[in-house]
Coordinates of all heavy atoms in Angstrom, one line a residue:
M1 N 154.9 90.5 20.8 CA 155.3 91.3 21.9 C 154.1 91.6 22.7 O 153.1 92.1 22.2 CB 156.0 92.5 21.4 CG 156.8 93.2 22.5 SD 157.8 94.6 21.9 CE 158.8 93.9 20.6
R2 N 154.1 91.4 24.0 CA 153.0 91.8 24.9 C 153.6 92.6 26.1 O 154.4 92.1 26.8 CB 152.3 90.5 25.4 CG 151.2 90.9 26.4 CD 150.1 89.9 26.2 NE 149.0 90.3 26.9 CZ 147.8 90.2 26.5 NH1 147.5 89.6 25.4 NH2 146.8 90.6 27.3
R3 N 153.1 93.8 26.3 CA 153.6 94.7 27.3 C 152.7 94.9 28.4 O 151.5 95.2 28.3 CB 153.9 96.1 26.6 CG 154.5 97.1 27.6 CD 154.8 98.4 26.8 NE 155.3 99.4 27.7 CZ 156.6 99.6 27.9 NH1 157.5 98.9 27.3 NH2 157.1 100.5 28.7
G4 N 153.2 94.6 29.6 CA 152.5 94.8 30.9 C 153.0 96.1 31.6 O 153.8 96.8 31.0
E5 N 152.6 96.3 32.8 CA 153.0 97.5 33.5 C 154.5 97.5 33.8 O 155.1 98.6 33.6 CB 152.3 97.6 34.9 CG 150.8 98.1 34.7 CD 150.2 98.3 36.1 OE1 150.9 98.8 37.0 OE2 149.1 98.0 36.3
T6 N 155.1 96.4 34.2 CA 156.5 96.4 34.6 C 157.4 95.6 33.7 O 158.6 95.7 33.7 CB 156.7 95.9 36.0 OG1 156.2 94.6 36.1 CG2 156.0 96.8 37.0
Q7 N 156.8 94.7 32.9 CA 157.5 93.7 32.0 C 156.9 93.6 30.7 O 155.7 93.8 30.5 CB 157.6 92.4 32.7 CG 158.4 92.4 34.0 CD 158.5 91.0 34.6 OE1 157.5 90.2 34.5 NE2 159.6 90.6 35.2
T8 N 157.7 93.2 29.7 CA 157.3 93.0 28.3 C 157.7 91.6 28.0 O 158.9 91.2 28.2 CB 157.9 94.0 27.3 OG1 157.4 95.3 27.7 CG2 157.4 93.7 25.9
L9 N 156.8 90.8 27.4 CA 157.1 89.4 26.9 C 157.4 89.5 25.4 O 156.5 90.1 24.7 CB 156.0 88.5 27.2 CG 156.1 87.1 26.6 CD1 157.3 86.3 27.1 CD2 154.8 86.3 26.7
V10 N 158.5 89.1 25.0 CA 158.9 89.1 23.5 C 159.1 87.6 23.1 O 159.9 86.9 23.7 CB 160.2 89.9 23.3 CG1 160.5 89.8 21.8 CG2 160.0 91.3 23.7
V11 N 158.3 87.2 22.1 CA 158.4 85.8 21.6 C 158.8 86.0 20.1 O 158.1 86.7 19.4 CB 157.1 85.0 21.7 CG1 157.3 83.6 21.1 CG2 156.8 84.9 23.2
V12 N 159.8 85.3 19.7 CA 160.2 85.3 18.3 C 160.1 83.8 17.8 O 160.7 82.9 18.4 CB 161.7 85.8 18.1 CG1 162.1 85.9 16.6 CG2 161.9 87.1 18.8
H13 N 159.4 83.6 16.7 CA 159.2 82.3 16.1 C 159.4 82.4 14.6 O 158.9 83.3 14.0 CB 157.8 81.8 16.4 CG 157.5 80.4 16.0 ND1 157.2 80.1 14.7 CD2 157.6 79.3 16.7 CE1 157.1 78.7 14.7 NE2 157.3 78.2 15.9
T14 N 160.2 81.4 14.1 CA 160.5 81.4 12.7 C 159.7 80.2 12.0 O 159.3 79.3 12.7 CB 162.0 81.2 12.3 OG1 162.4 80.0 12.8 CG2 162.8 82.4 12.9
F15 N 159.5 80.3 10.8 CA 158.9 79.2 10.0 C 159.9 78.7 9.0 O 161.1 78.8 9.2 CB 157.6 79.8 9.4 CG 156.6 80.2 10.4 CD1 156.5 81.5 10.8 CD2 155.7 79.2 10.9 CE1 155.6 81.9 11.8 CE2 154.8 79.6 11.9 CZ 154.7 80.9 12.3
G16 N 159.4 78.1 7.9 CA 160.3 77.6 6.8 C 161.1 78.8 6.2 O 160.6 79.9 6.2
A17 N 162.3 78.5 5.7 CA 163.1 79.5 5.1 C 163.4 80.7 6.1 O 163.4 81.8 5.7 CB 162.5 80.1 3.8
A18 N 163.8 80.3 7.3 CA 164.0 81.3 8.3 C 165.3 82.1 8.1 O 166.3 81.6 7.6 CB 164.2 80.5 9.7
P19 N 165.2 83.4 8.4 CA 166.4 84.2 8.3 C 167.4 83.8 9.5 O 167.0 83.2 10.5 CB 165.9 85.6 8.6 CG 164.7 85.5 9.4 CD 164.1 84.2 8.9
E20 N 168.7 84.1 9.3 CA 169.6 83.7 10.3 C 169.5 84.6 11.6 O 169.7 84.1 12.7 CB 171.1 83.9 9.7 CG 172.2 83.4 10.6 CD 172.6 84.3 11.8 OE1 172.4 85.6 11.6 OE2 173.0 83.8 12.8
A21 N 169.0 85.8 11.4 CA 168.8 86.7 12.5 C 167.5 87.5 12.4 O 167.1 87.7 11.3 CB 170.0 87.7 12.6
V22 N 166.9 87.8 13.5 CA 165.7 88.6 13.5 C 165.9 89.7 14.5 O 166.4 89.5 15.6 CB 164.5 87.8 14.0 CG1 163.3 88.6 14.2 CG2 164.2 86.6 13.0
T23 N 165.6 91.0 14.1 CA 165.8 92.2 14.9 C 164.4 92.8 15.2 O 163.6 93.0 14.3 CB 166.7 93.2 14.3 OG1 168.0 92.6 14.1 CG2 166.9 94.4 15.1
L24 N 164.2 93.1 16.4 CA 162.9 93.8 16.8 C 163.2 95.0 17.7 O 164.2 95.0 18.5 CB 162.1 92.8 17.7 CG 161.6 91.5 17.1 CD1 161.1 90.6 18.1 CD2 160.6 91.8 16.0
P25 N 162.4 96.1 17.6 CA 162.5 97.2 18.6 C 162.1 96.7 19.9 O 161.0 96.2 20.1 CB 161.6 98.3 18.0 CG 160.6 97.5 17.2 CD 161.3 96.3 16.7
A26 N 162.9 96.8 20.9 CA 162.6 96.4 22.3 C 163.5 97.1 23.3 O 164.7 96.8 23.4 CB 162.7 94.8 22.4
G27 N 162.9 98.0 24.1 CA 163.7 98.6 25.1 C 163.6 97.9 26.4 O 163.0 96.8 26.5
G28 N 164.3 98.4 27.4 CA 164.3 97.7 28.7 C 165.5 96.7 28.9 O 166.2 96.5 27.9
K29 N 165.6 96.2 30.0 CA 166.7 95.2 30.4 C 166.1 93.8 30.3 O 165.0 93.5 30.7 CB 167.1 95.5 31.8 CG 168.2 94.6 32.3 CD 168.5 94.9 33.7 CE 169.4 93.8 34.3 NZ 169.5 93.9 35.8
I30 N 167.0 92.9 29.7 CA 166.6 91.5 29.7 C 166.6 90.9 31.1 O 167.6 90.9 31.7 CB 167.5 90.7 28.7 CG1 167.4 91.2 27.3 CG2 167.1 89.2 28.8 CD1 168.3 90.5 26.3
A31 N 165.4 90.5 31.6 CA 165.3 89.8 32.9 C 165.4 88.3 32.8 O 165.9 87.7 33.7 CB 164.0 90.2 33.5
A32 N 165.0 87.7 31.7 CA 165.0 86.3 31.5 C 165.0 86.0 30.0 O 164.4 86.7 29.2 CB 163.8 85.6 32.2
Q33 N 165.7 84.9 29.6 CA 165.7 84.5 28.2 C 165.5 83.0 28.2 O 166.0 82.3 29.0 CB 166.9 84.9 27.5 CG 168.2 84.5 28.1 CD 169.4 85.2 27.5 OE1 169.3 86.3 26.9 NE2 170.5 84.5 27.5
F34 N 164.7 82.6 27.2 CA 164.4 81.2 27.0 C 164.7 80.8 25.5 O 163.9 81.3 24.7 CB 162.9 80.9 27.4 CG 162.6 81.4 28.7 CD1 162.0 82.7 28.8 CD2 162.8 80.7 29.8 CE1 161.6 83.2 30.1 CE2 162.5 81.2 31.1 CZ 161.9 82.5 31.2
M35 N 165.7 80.1 25.3 CA 166.1 79.8 23.9 C 167.0 78.6 23.9 O 167.7 78.3 24.9 CB 166.8 81.0 23.2 CG 168.0 81.5 23.9 SD 168.5 83.1 23.1 CE 170.0 83.3 23.9
R36 N 167.1 77.9 22.8 CA 167.9 76.7 22.7 C 169.4 77.1 22.6 O 169.7 78.2 22.3 CB 167.5 75.9 21.5 CG 167.8 76.5 20.2 CD 167.7 75.6 19.0 NE 167.9 76.3 17.8 CZ 169.1 76.6 17.3 NH1 170.2 76.3 17.9 NH2 169.2 77.3 16.1
Y37 N 170.2 76.1 23.0 CA 171.6 76.2 22.9 C 172.0 76.5 21.4 O 171.4 75.9 20.5 CB 172.3 75.0 23.3 CG 173.8 75.0 23.2 CD1 174.6 75.7 24.2 CD2 174.5 74.4 22.2 CE1 175.9 75.8 24.1 CE2 175.9 74.5 22.1 CZ 176.6 75.2 23.0 OH 177.9 75.2 22.9
G38 N 172.8 77.5 21.2 CA 173.2 77.8 19.8 C 172.7 79.1 19.3 O 173.2 79.8 18.4
L39 N 171.6 79.6 19.9 CA 171.1 81.0 19.6 C 171.8 82.0 20.5 O 172.2 81.7 21.6 CB 169.6 81.1 19.9 CG 168.7 80.3 19.0 CD1 167.2 80.5 19.4 CD2 168.8 80.6 17.5
T40 N 172.1 83.1 19.9 CA 172.7 84.2 20.7 C 171.8 85.5 20.5 O 171.1 85.6 19.6 CB 174.1 84.5 20.2 OG1 174.1 84.9 18.8 CG2 175.1 83.3 20.4
V41 N 172.0 86.4 21.5 CA 171.2 87.6 21.5 C 172.0 88.8 21.8 O 173.0 88.7 22.5 CB 170.0 87.5 22.5 CG1 170.5 87.4 23.9 CG2 169.1 88.7 22.4
T42 N 171.7 89.9 21.1 CA 172.3 91.2 21.4 C 171.2 92.1 21.6 O 170.1 92.0 21.0 CB 173.2 91.7 20.2 OG1 172.4 91.8 19.0 CG2 174.4 90.8 20.0
H43 N 171.4 93.1 22.5 CA 170.3 94.0 22.9 C 171.0 95.4 23.1 O 171.5 95.7 24.2 CB 169.7 93.5 24.2 CG 168.4 94.3 24.6 ND1 168.1 94.7 25.9 CD2 167.4 94.8 23.8 CE1 167.0 95.3 25.9 NE2 166.6 95.4 24.7
L44 N 171.0 96.1 22.0 CA 171.7 97.4 22.0 C 170.8 98.5 21.4 O 170.1 98.2 20.4 CB 173.0 97.3 21.2 CG 174.0 96.3 21.6 CD1 175.1 96.2 20.6 CD2 174.6 96.7 23.0
D45 N 170.9 99.7 22.0 CA 170.2 100.8 21.4 C 168.7 100.6 21.1 O 168.2 101.0 20.1 CB 170.9 101.4 20.2 CG 172.3 101.8 20.5 OD1 172.6 102.3 21.6 OD2 173.2 101.5 19.6
G46 N 168.0 99.8 22.0 CA 166.6 99.6 21.8 C 166.3 98.6 20.8 O 165.1 98.5 20.3
Q47 N 167.3 97.8 20.3 CA 167.1 96.7 19.3 C 167.5 95.4 19.9 O 168.6 95.2 20.4 CB 167.9 97.0 18.1 CG 167.6 98.3 17.4 CD 166.3 98.2 16.7 OE1 166.0 97.3 15.9 NE2 165.4 99.3 16.8
L48 N 166.6 94.4 19.8 CA 166.8 93.1 20.3 C 167.1 92.2 19.0 O 166.2 92.1 18.2 CB 165.7 92.5 21.1 CG 165.8 91.1 21.6 CD1 166.7 91.1 22.9 CD2 164.4 90.6 22.0
T49 N 168.2 91.6 18.9 CA 168.6 90.8 17.7 C 168.9 89.4 18.2 O 169.8 89.2 19.1 CB 169.7 91.4 16.9 OG1 169.4 92.7 16.5 CG2 170.0 90.5 15.7
V50 N 168.2 88.4 17.6 CA 168.5 87.0 17.9 C 169.2 86.4 16.7 O 168.7 86.5 15.6 CB 167.2 86.2 18.3 CG1 167.6 84.8 18.7 CG2 166.5 86.9 19.4
H51 N 170.3 85.8 16.9 CA 171.1 85.2 15.8 C 171.1 83.7 15.9 O 171.1 83.1 17.0 CB 172.6 85.6 15.9 CG 172.8 87.1 15.8 ND1 173.0 87.8 14.7 CD2 172.8 88.0 16.8 CE1 173.1 89.1 14.9 NE2 173.0 89.3 16.2
G52 N 171.2 83.0 14.8 CA 171.4 81.6 14.7 C 170.1 80.8 14.5 O 170.1 79.6 14.7
F53 N 169.1 81.5 14.1 CA 167.8 80.8 13.8 C 167.9 79.8 12.7 O 168.6 80.0 11.7 CB 166.7 81.8 13.5 CG 166.1 82.5 14.6 CD1 166.1 83.8 14.8 CD2 165.4 81.7 15.6 CE1 165.5 84.4 15.9 CE2 164.8 82.3 16.7 CZ 164.8 83.7 16.8
T54 N 167.1 78.7 12.8 CA 166.9 77.7 11.8 C 165.4 77.7 11.5 O 164.6 78.4 12.2 CB 167.5 76.4 12.2 OG1 166.8 75.9 13.4 CG2 169.0 76.4 12.4
D55 N 165.0 76.9 10.6 CA 163.6 76.7 10.3 C 162.8 76.3 11.5 O 163.3 75.4 12.3 CB 163.3 75.7 9.2 CG 163.9 76.3 7.8 OD1 164.3 77.4 7.8 OD2 163.9 75.5 6.9
F56 N 161.6 76.8 11.8 CA 160.7 76.4 12.9 C 161.4 76.5 14.2 O 161.4 75.6 15.0 CB 160.1 75.1 12.6 CG 159.4 75.0 11.3 CD1 160.0 74.5 10.2 CD2 158.1 75.6 11.2 CE1 159.3 74.5 8.9 CE2 157.5 75.6 10.0 CZ 158.1 75.1 8.8
D57 N 162.1 77.6 14.5 CA 162.8 77.9 15.7 C 162.1 78.9 16.6 O 161.1 79.5 16.1 CB 164.2 78.4 15.4 CG 165.3 77.9 16.3 OD1 165.0 77.4 17.4 OD2 166.5 78.0 15.8
A58 N 162.5 79.1 17.8 CA 161.8 80.1 18.7 C 162.7 80.5 19.8 O 163.7 79.8 20.2 CB 160.6 79.5 19.2
A59 N 162.4 81.7 20.3 CA 163.1 82.2 21.5 C 162.1 83.1 22.2 O 161.2 83.7 21.5 CB 164.4 83.0 21.1
A60 N 162.2 83.3 23.5 CA 161.3 84.2 24.3 C 162.2 84.9 25.3 O 163.2 84.4 25.8 CB 160.2 83.4 24.9
F61 N 161.7 86.2 25.6 CA 162.5 87.0 26.5 C 161.4 87.8 27.4 O 160.4 88.2 26.9 CB 163.3 88.1 25.7 CG 164.2 87.5 24.8 CD1 163.8 87.2 23.5 CD2 165.5 87.1 25.2 CE1 164.7 86.6 22.6 CE2 166.4 86.5 24.3 CZ 166.0 86.2 23.0
I62 N 161.8 88.0 28.6 CA 161.1 88.9 29.5 C 162.0 90.1 29.7 O 163.1 90.0 30.1 CB 160.7 88.2 30.8 CG1 159.8 87.0 30.6 CG2 160.1 89.3 31.8 CD1 159.5 86.2 31.8
L63 N 161.4 91.3 29.4 CA 162.2 92.5 29.5 C 161.6 93.4 30.6 O 160.3 93.4 30.8 CB 162.1 93.3 28.2 CG 162.6 92.6 26.9 CD1 162.4 93.6 25.8 CD2 164.1 92.2 27.1
E64 N 162.4 94.0 31.5 CA 162.0 94.9 32.5 C 161.7 96.3 31.7 O 162.7 96.8 31.1 CB 163.0 95.1 33.6 CG 163.3 93.9 34.4 CD 162.1 93.4 35.2 OE1 161.3 94.3 35.6 OE2 162.0 92.2 35.5
N65 N 160.5 96.8 31.8 CA 160.2 98.1 31.2 C 161.0 99.2 31.8 O 161.3 99.2 32.9 CB 158.7 98.4 31.3 CG 157.9 97.4 30.6 OD1 158.3 96.7 29.7 ND2 156.6 97.3 31.0
E66 N 161.4 100.2 30.9 CA 162.1 101.4 31.3 C 161.1 102.3 31.9 O 160.0 102.4 31.5 CB 162.8 102.0 30.2 CG 163.9 101.1 29.6 CD 164.5 101.6 28.3 OE1 163.8 102.3 27.5 OE2 165.7 101.4 28.1
G67 N 161.6 103.1 32.9 CA 160.8 104.2 33.5 C 159.8 103.7 34.3 O 158.9 103.8 34.8

């Protein structure tokens, strides 16, 4: 996760024996998402959860910072 003044870049990458879902603390609104077909994302109560991961998978998000 890399936070700038107005946006935060979130990159999630799995390796071997990947969990099906990964949850990270991440506030703000999703401005852009970059992920393969088949992954889904939920963003509730300051938690970003990506579902559907397989081994050596990845997803990236740009979030608009709050405040």
Side-chain angles (χ1 to χ4, degrees):
M1 193 175 307
R2 179 146 189 143
R3 185 177 177 91
E5 281 188 39
T6 60
Q7 295 180 323
T8 298
L9 172 65
V10 178
V11 177
V12 184
H13 186 276
T14 63
F15 296 94
E20 188 279 332
V22 173
T23 300
L24 301 168
K29 178 184 167 191
I30 296 175
Q33 55 189 30
F34 309 94
M35 58 188 187
R36 68 168 175 79
Y37 180 79
L39 292 179
T40 59
V41 63
T42 57
H43 189 220
L44 302 169
D45 301 323
Q47 298 288 313
L48 180 78
T49 303
V50 184
H51 302 269
F53 277 122
T54 58
D55 292 352
F56 303 99
D57 217 342
F61 304 89
I62 297 175
L63 305 176
E64 296 294 335
N65 295 340
E66 296 174 325

